[in-house]
Amino acid sequence: MSYPDLIDAPWVRCSTPGGRYAARMNPAATQPRKSLLPVVTAFAALGGFLFGYDTGVISGAIGFIADEFDLNSFEQGVVTSSVLAGAFFGAGLSGVTADTYGRRRLLIFAGAIYVVGATAAALSPGVEFLVASRFVLGLGIGITSTVAPLYIAEMAPASRRGGLVATYQLAITIGILVADLVDEALSHPGGWRWAFGLAAIPGAVQFIGMSRMPASPRWLIGQHREADATAVMKKVGASDDEAHTEIAAMQGAVAEERAGSWADLLSPGVKAALGVGVMLALIQQITGINTVIYYAPDIFEDARFGSAQNAIWATVVVSTVNVLATLIAIRYLDRWGRIPLLTAGLSGMIASLFALGGTFVFLDKGEDSGALGILAVFFVCTYIASFAFSLGPIVWVIVSEIFPTKVRGRAISVATMVNWGANFVVGLTFLTLVDEVHTWGTFWLFGLLSVGSLWYIRARVPETKGRTLEEIEASWTSPSS
Ligand code: BGC
């Protein structure tokens, strides 16, 4: 055993008085290795907070903005959806740039965009300026939603990757909850300017923090910077042996590929992965999550759940459930696996959606509202809890895991654009759907789409728990996959 081996081995053999060998703890190995991983994850996840905050904050602000700028409903829709449009383009832009300039640089850039967009939105002299600033903010969100999960996944060891990427989703849910509370605290004319402007602070922290974080080792290998990649692996807690084994596997994976291009997305081995990534991104939205996130107060008012104020507090309860249930995913994703949690979560969503629809059938008949209103809040909570430990985090986890390194940025950007596009369409059509097929029909429709989604996931999505990114990459072209 060489000296460095000895340092890393958790046990060493020592002689006992009887001449026999016994294992004893190696004190050098049991000292906790200082890893940069939690810090790296926290800074990358900050982007998730801004994603949640900036998409959530508009619901409480839009009424005041409409009064101040005298907006009709169409103009209100434009102000609301400008962030989603920006996110769609931001996700598209980050594909090539993440592969070329690296994940870390893009996250620094996104931090700067947040500061500019948030400050501009807060100071908007008119509606056009506000729409443009919210679009710019959206660009930052689109970049972050593509690059942050990818950066975390490339930094993390296989055994902890699921939980660490899910931390990004936790940050999204905290952002949504904080936005609800800020909206509530600043619900007076002009308060929206503070609500928008406050987002500049976490943006600045992301900008400064990410400037001090290392580049992702897998991206460095793609740039043929092996020594730098090894140094980063050690900084995030890998032993010498782990760093060398993983770097060799990364080099093997990269050596087999030419420099990635858009056409590569349709090559064998990538096409199948792209199909799964795009479908998961779509499923996350068409099962209705953002109708609850964006319209919960309206849903509760429709359910005649007391006053408008009660409806807002019920929304805060829903957002809190969203945060808490995400913790389940962080804890169990790497133990139980992605597919069992997705199966349990989608089953819960299906049951909740049909029950919620059923509650609205009775409400529409004009039956006693008190108990039915409470039931509606209860089923929205079971629905969001089921989403929060499954589709919420796991879609971002799997999308960050399944693509080959050379095209990972491009492929994730396609899936993320689909996610934002579907988010936009579902948000835009929800109220029209309710007019056409009633609230109950809309929730049952989401229920049916969830049944189809569950079938697809069980049939097509691979389990990625505990496998390295290189093993997952190889599995798409191996005969057993
Ligand atoms: C989704 C968002 C959604 C949020 C709710 C995210 O994973 O991408 O569209 O608003 O979860 O927690």
Side-chain angles (χ1 to χ4, degrees), residues 283 285-289 291 346 349-350 352-358 361 383 425-426 429-454:
I283 285 171
Q285 297 299 325
I286 59 169
T287 44
I289 184 62
T291 58
L346 267 155
M349 287 168 69
I350 293 167
S352 311
L353 283 166
F354 282 109
L356 189 59
V361 170
Y383 167 77
V425 173
V426 173
T429 50
F430 176 68
L431 294 179
T432 319
L433 263 176
V434 169
D435 281 349
E436 295 297 323
V437 296
H438 304 284
T439 311
W440 58 267
T442 308
F443 286 128
W444 283 356
L445 178 67
F446 289 137
L448 287 177
L449 287 167
S450 304
V451 171
S453 303
L454 179 56

Side-chain angles (χ1 to χ4, degrees), residues 51 55 169 172-173 176 284-285 289-290 293-294 322 387 391-393 396 419-420 423:
F51 168 166
T55 50
Q169 170 73 14
I172 298 179
T173 59
I176 295 172
Q284 196 197 46
Q285 297 299 325
I289 184 62
N290 283 315
I293 300 286
Y294 301 156
N322 194 13
F387 173 89
L391 278 184
W396 297 114
N419 188 274
W420 284 110
N423 185 338

Side-chain angles (χ1 to χ4, degrees), residues 29 113 131 153 186 206 229 234-235 265 274 283 288-289 335-336 369 387 390 403 410 416 439 450 454 469:
I113 291 187
V131 169
L186 297 175
Q206 175 170 331
K234 290 193 189 159
K235 271 194 192 156
L265 291 184
L274 189 67
I283 285 171
I289 184 62
R335 295 193 205 173
W336 294 348
S369 56
F387 173 89
S390 63
F403 301 117
R410 284 172 172 78
T416 310
T439 311
S450 304
L454 179 56
L469 297 182

Side-chain angles (χ1 to χ4, degrees), residues 102-452:
R103 294 59 166 126
R104 172 182 157 271
R105 285 201 191 112
L106 238 66
L107 287 173
I108 298 173
F109 180 60
I113 291 187
Y114 282 128
V115 175
V116 173
T119 314
L123 300 175
S124 294
V127 67
E128 292 83 5
F129 194 91
L130 180 60
V131 169
S133 328
R134 297 274 297 160
F135 181 85
V136 170
L137 260 180
L139 289 176
I141 298 179
I143 294 174
T144 303
S145 57
T146 310
V147 184
L150 160 63
Y151 177 74
I152 300 173
E154 289 190 341
M155 285 283 188
S159 58
R160 293 178 56 201
R161 197 178 51 232
L164 288 171
V165 178
T167 306
Y168 161 76
Q169 170 73 14
L170 181 71
I172 298 179
T173 59
I174 294 175
I176 295 172
L177 174 62
V178 171
D180 286 348
L181 296 171
V182 168
D183 273 346
E184 181 51 26
L186 297 175
S187 61
H188 52 78
W192 65 268
R193 292 186 184 273
W194 284 102
F196 284 178
L198 279 174
I201 300 171
V205 176
Q206 175 170 331
F207 177 78
I208 297 166
M210 280 309 300
S211 322
R212 309 196 56 184
M213 294 298 110
S216 127
R218 285 172 171 89
W219 180 78
L220 287 167
I221 290 290
Q223 306 292 307
H224 307 292
R225 290 168 55 187
E226 284 75 16
D228 291 341
T230 312
V232 176
M233 290 294 290
K234 290 193 189 159
K235 271 194 192 156
V236 296
S239 67
D240 284 351
D241 276 357
E242 284 161 351
H244 286 124
T245 320
E246 290 224 16
I247 295 281
M250 291 176 205
Q251 283 172 321
V254 170
E256 285 167 19
E257 301 156 12
R258 294 175 290 105
S261 72
W262 286 106
D264 286 337
L265 291 184
L266 298 177
S267 64
V270 181
K271 203 160 108 184
L274 189 67
V276 169
V278 164
M279 278 303 290
L280 281 176
L282 198 64
I283 285 171
Q284 196 197 46
Q285 297 299 325
I286 59 169
T287 44
I289 184 62
N290 283 315
T291 58
V292 170
I293 300 286
Y294 301 156
Y295 298 106
D298 304 71
I299 296 172
F300 296 146
E301 276 187 50
D302 274 2
R304 301 194 285 282
F305 185 72
S307 62
Q309 199 57 28
N310 278 0
I312 289 174
W313 283 114
T315 307
V316 172
V317 169
V318 171
S319 297
T320 308
V321 171
N322 194 13
V323 175
L324 296 179
T326 308
L327 296 173
I328 301 176
I330 294 184
R331 191 164 168 77
Y332 292 109
L333 253 174
D334 292 313
R335 295 193 205 173
W336 294 348
R338 291 46 167 159
I339 305 295
L341 276 175
L342 280 174
T343 307
L346 267 155
S347 307
M349 287 168 69
I350 293 167
S352 311
L353 283 166
F354 282 109
L356 189 59
T359 311
F360 272 95
V361 170
F362 290 108
L363 279 163
D364 279 3
K365 284 188 189 152
E367 296 196 9
D368 158 49
S369 56
L372 288 175
I374 295 172
L375 263 189
V377 175
F378 176 76
F379 290 131
V380 168
C381 286
T382 55
Y383 167 77
I384 204 145
S386 309
F387 173 89
F389 70 76
S390 63
L391 278 184
I394 301 178
V395 166
W396 297 114
V397 170
I398 297 185
V399 162
S400 69
E401 296 177 324
I402 56 176
F403 301 117
T405 302
K406 277 280 175 74
V407 291
R408 193 171 287 130
R410 284 172 172 78
I412 296 184
S413 99
V414 172
T416 310
M417 281 174 86
V418 169
N419 188 274
W420 284 110
N423 185 338
F424 180 74
V425 173
V426 173
L428 204 67
T429 50
F430 176 68
L431 294 179
T432 319
L433 263 176
V434 169
D435 281 349
E436 295 297 323
V437 296
H438 304 284
T439 311
W440 58 267
T442 308
F443 286 128
W444 283 356
L445 178 67
F446 289 137
L448 287 177
L449 287 167
S450 304
V451 171

